Amino acid sequence: MKLRPLADRVIVKRLENETKTASGIVIPDNAAEKPDQGEVLAVGPGKRDDDGDYIKMNVKVGDLVLFGKYSGQTVKVDGDELLVMKEDDLFAVVEK
């Protein structure tokens, strides 16, 4: 199934978090926190201004983004857990 977000919404897939610390300690799944970064899978057309024209989105498909721990709405699509959130919920794009 393909998702096409509406307005200024984006579809984000959380990045998998590390299960081991730098010193080699294994973190059990129930103690691990949800990661607060992910990859943008789809981007909506953007908000409309007062004239009805779209305002360009600041993120694009493939961007790595940072967001709040409780941001967005979780949905399951084809067995994958994805987040649907507004562009305003994103904090930053990770530059490489």
Side-chain angles (χ1 to χ4, degrees):
M1 174 186 348
K2 291 193 130 210
L3 292 178
R4 182 176 51 94
L6 302 175
D8 64 334
R9 289 180 175 78
V10 295
I11 309 292
V12 176
K13 182 172 184 176
R14 284 185 195 269
L15 294 181
E16 295 299 320
N17 54 345
E18 294 292 323
T19 58
K20 198 185 288 189
T21 65
S23 60
I25 299 172
V26 176
I27 302 171
D29 287 340
N30 58 354
E33 289 190 18
K34 290 185 177 180
D36 55 1
Q37 61 180 308
E39 178 183 0
V40 176
L41 298 181
V43 177
K47 282 185 187 177
R48 288 190 184 263
D49 62 14
D50 293 335
D51 297 327
D53 297 324
Y54 284 110
I55 299 171
K56 185 177 183 278
M57 299 280 278
N58 292 311
V59 295
K60 62 186 182 307
V61 174
D63 280 347
L64 292 179
V65 292
L66 301 178
F67 49 87
K69 187 185 295 189
Y70 302 107
S71 296
Q73 177 67 42
T74 304
V75 295
K76 280 208 175 210
V77 178
D78 296 333
D80 288 331
E81 193 172 284
L82 305 175
L83 289 167
V84 179
M85 62 181 71
K86 289 189 169 233
E87 184 182 33
D88 292 344
D89 292 338
L90 300 175
F91 297 150
V93 175
V94 178
E95 301 282 339
K96 290 187 178 181

